[in-house]
Amino acid sequence: MPRKKVTIVGAGMTGGAMAQRLIERDICDVVLQDDPQFAGTMHFGKALDESQASSWEGYSMRISATDGWEETANSDVVIITAGAPRKPGMTREELLNGNADIVAAKVSAAAKASPKAVLIIFSNPMDAMCQVAMKASGFPRERVIGQGGALDSARYRYFVADAVGVSVRDVHGYVIGGHTDTTMVPVVSQTRIGGVPLTDLLPADQVQGLVARAMRGGAEIGELYKTGSAYFAPSAATITMAEAILLDQKRLIPCSVWHQGEYGIRDVFSGTVCQLGEGGIQKTFELPLTDDERQRVVAAADATKELVKLLN
């Protein structure tokens, strides 16, 4: 059988971390694509550096780099990280139009080279960039997926596990809605620790503190780094999604998807739990929500619709 291939567009800190996590899984070839105008030869350096690690890490798949698109042809998954990173104090919305131009150009070229690929959009503001990517690619909704919910849920689960004092593996909770500091919705009502509701284990004020910290997860990291944004947790979340698609794992992961009736929302990208496997999104799930949670999910979608209206 032909080897699987994943192209990562953008070889910055996050793109490089994604490439490392993915190639060391030894499930596909990896291509780092970037623009020499901005990246110089950095993507070639990262590909060569990681290739030389194969002797000790023991993987046999190939990682390479390119300035163009021919080498990316027939990729199974294309991950779009291209765009300016969020700087300390900057909202994801402030990135909007500059990154929209970059994403549209990159996605258009990637789609021509790999017309059957699944797109995973990492660029911010993520929900709006998914809409840009769907238009630029012409792909159906099953093959244009935003990664935000996977990252937001990872942060939320970590904070819950740390507060309760249990393994994060035994925390089951999802963050849906938008991928911004104000529109994400940690679904407290359905958060379970070993099957026990979170609200049975922690007082309400502490739970709300965890929710607030999860919603500022990216901003907190940026403030600590001072010169950039998060890349360890984002790369882990994104590559978990890519692996689920490549290996048809049918995993349930919160993702941004073009809503067609979920929670009564239509024609906008927003987060809900999706089954990821071969071909991308195989099924979507609506979580049972409280009235307040449902209102916030709908408000998140409305906020993204307003943001999309600002696109040039």
Side-chain angles (χ1 to χ4, degrees), residues 5-6 8 19 23 29-33 43-44 46-48 51 61-66 71-72:
K5 182 195 292 186
V6 172
I8 300 172
I23 197 65
D29 290 330
V30 176
V31 180
L32 276 170
Q33 195 283 335
H43 44 314
F44 289 93
K46 289 187 177 183
L48 180 58
S51 295
M61 293 296 176
R62 182 173 184 266
I63 180 169
S64 59
T66 181
E71 296 87 345
T72 75

Side-chain angles (χ1 to χ4, degrees), residues 141-142 252 262 272-276 280-285:
R141 81 165 188 158
E142 292 80 9
L252 302 187
E262 294 87 355
T272 192
V273 176
C274 300
Q275 178 178 301
L276 296 189
I281 294 175
Q282 298 176 335
K283 189 183 299 184
T284 62
F285 293 81

